[in-house]
Amino acid sequence: MTVTALEKNQRIAIEWPTPVEWTFTPKGNDTTFVSIVASGFTGTDDEKVAQALDSTEGFNLVISACKALLEHGIDLRLISDKNPDAAVSGT
């Protein structure tokens, strides 16, 4: 993963391996709307759709885990539970 842009409280862009961009929009009352756009999928139309669906599932897990941690202090362990064989020792 390579960070390609970082604008505090506004935007994070990465290459992972395709471009992904998080945009943070303040909505008042300590509320922020987070938009995630993944692009750069390759292959046939069916392969692109499969990549987009896989990406959507992954980012939904990440943003849900972040929301629970930030708002309630709860670590849902969604990421480690999704792929327990990839867990790093001591985490």
Side-chain angles (χ1 to χ4, degrees):
M1 177 184 71
T2 301
V3 177
T4 57
L6 181 59
E7 300 170 29
K8 187 176 180 179
N9 299 325
Q10 293 179 19
R11 181 173 79 108
I12 301 169
I14 64 169
E15 290 289 330
W16 185 59
T18 59
V20 180
E21 182 174 6
W22 288 269
T23 305
F24 305 93
T25 306
K27 293 294 184 181
N29 298 326
D30 297 324
T31 302
T32 301
F33 180 79
V34 180
S35 173
I36 303 170
V37 175
S39 60
F41 303 118
T42 60
T44 66
D45 287 346
D46 286 343
E47 290 169 335
K48 290 177 189 177
V49 168
Q51 292 169 44
L53 291 173
D54 186 50
S55 176
T56 299
E57 176 187 355
F59 289 121
N60 279 334
L61 283 173
V62 170
I63 204 72
S64 296
C66 288
K67 181 176 174 59
L69 185 62
L70 291 170
E71 292 182 2
H72 306 287
I74 300 170
D75 181 358
L76 298 176
R77 303 190 54 79
L78 295 176
I79 309 311
S80 57
D81 287 351
K82 171 80 170 144
N83 189 358
D85 294 335
V88 177
S89 177
T91 61

